[in-house]
Amino acid sequence: MPKLTYLGHSAFQVQGSGGRIVIDPFLTGNPIAAAAANEIEVDHVLLTHGHGDHIGDSVAIAQANDATIVAPFELANYCEQQGAKVHPMHIGGAFEFPFGRVKLTIAHHGSAAPDGTYTGNPCGFLITMDGRTLYHSGDTGLFLDMKLIGEMNTIDVAVLPIGDNFTMGIEDAVKATEFLQPGLVIPIHYKTFDVIDVDPQEFVDRVTAAGFTAKVLEFGGTYEF
Ligand code: NI
Ligand code: MN
């Protein structure tokens, strides 16, 4: 069973029998980070978009681990220019990596690197490891195609932003949960900054009332799925 470790904000480490990955490792400068960048040992870094609170320490982690960054094409090119090994993909495409299968999904958001370089369209990820599927939506507003993603995939765990302002807020993330029908939903992208300081327990209560299972994973907390 893959093991998920929540590093805070949108960052997760996922370990399966075929390898270790980190998603959106914004650790340096993240007030809620549950690990330092130099503690991360992975073979792949998955990046949803170029914003600083997602690209974070990606290039440094990739270089230190000789790991490959998996990202949408334009963002992968940017990371390659910064000196990282990359595997470019794009929305709708899937690829079998040694650690598991990754499929890129749409996300309604922006994507530019901290230096202002435009890095194409943002994405979400469907990640299947050891026969279990994780959906990381990336930063996004609610979209109806989540219903299709839920219909076409058995999602064991979904991690969804709830912080509002830049992404879905609680109400929309509850609707997203209804569309996706995941075995478990974990709220992310809250508390890091003042403008996204919402109460994750309110989300859990409302998801529970809607008939689904949600869990607040503390920063540094782990979950096997
Ligand atoms: Ni963003
Ligand atoms: Mn963000």
Side-chain angles (χ1 to χ4, degrees), residues 9-10 24 26 48-49 51-54 109 138-140 161 166-167 189 193 196:
H9 203 55
S10 293
D24 286 0
F26 165 50
T48 61
H49 64 295
H51 290 160
D53 59 320
H54 297 261
H109 194 66
D139 279 5
T140 186
F166 297 116
T167 66
H189 211 272
F193 315 117
I196 62 170

Side-chain angles (χ1 to χ4, degrees), residues 24-28 47 50-60 114:
D24 286 0
F26 165 50
L27 304 171
T28 303
L47 256 187
H51 290 160
D53 59 320
H54 297 261
I55 193 169
D57 302 290
S58 293
V59 171

Side-chain angles (χ1 to χ4, degrees), residues 168-189:
M168 293 188 283
I170 288 174
E171 183 181 23
D172 287 4
V174 172
K175 179 55 78 176
T177 305
E178 292 173 13
F179 287 161
L180 294 162
Q181 309 257 321
L184 175 75
V185 60
I186 295 170
I188 63 170
H189 211 272

Side-chain angles (χ1 to χ4, degrees), residues 118-201:
Y118 176 64
T119 48
N121 286 313
C123 75
F125 293 116
L126 283 160
I127 303 162
T128 304
M129 293 169 98
D130 300 328
R132 309 286 282 171
T133 297
L134 167 71
Y135 173 57
H136 189 304
S137 71
D139 279 5
T140 186
L142 178 65
F143 54 88
L144 186 59
D145 291 39
M146 284 181 178
K147 206 168 177 175
L148 183 64
I149 294 171
E151 272 175 28
M152 292 182 68
N153 301 275
T154 301
I155 298 169
D156 296 291
V157 180
V159 301
L160 301 176
I162 63 160
D164 224 329
N165 194 76
F166 297 116
T167 66
M168 293 188 283
I170 288 174
E171 183 181 23
D172 287 4
V174 172
K175 179 55 78 176
T177 305
E178 292 173 13
F179 287 161
L180 294 162
Q181 309 257 321
L184 175 75
V185 60
I186 295 170
I188 63 170
H189 211 272
Y190 64 89
K191 195 167 177 177
T192 326
F193 315 117
D194 287 346
V195 290
I196 62 170
D197 191 8
V198 304
D199 177 11
Q201 191 57 45

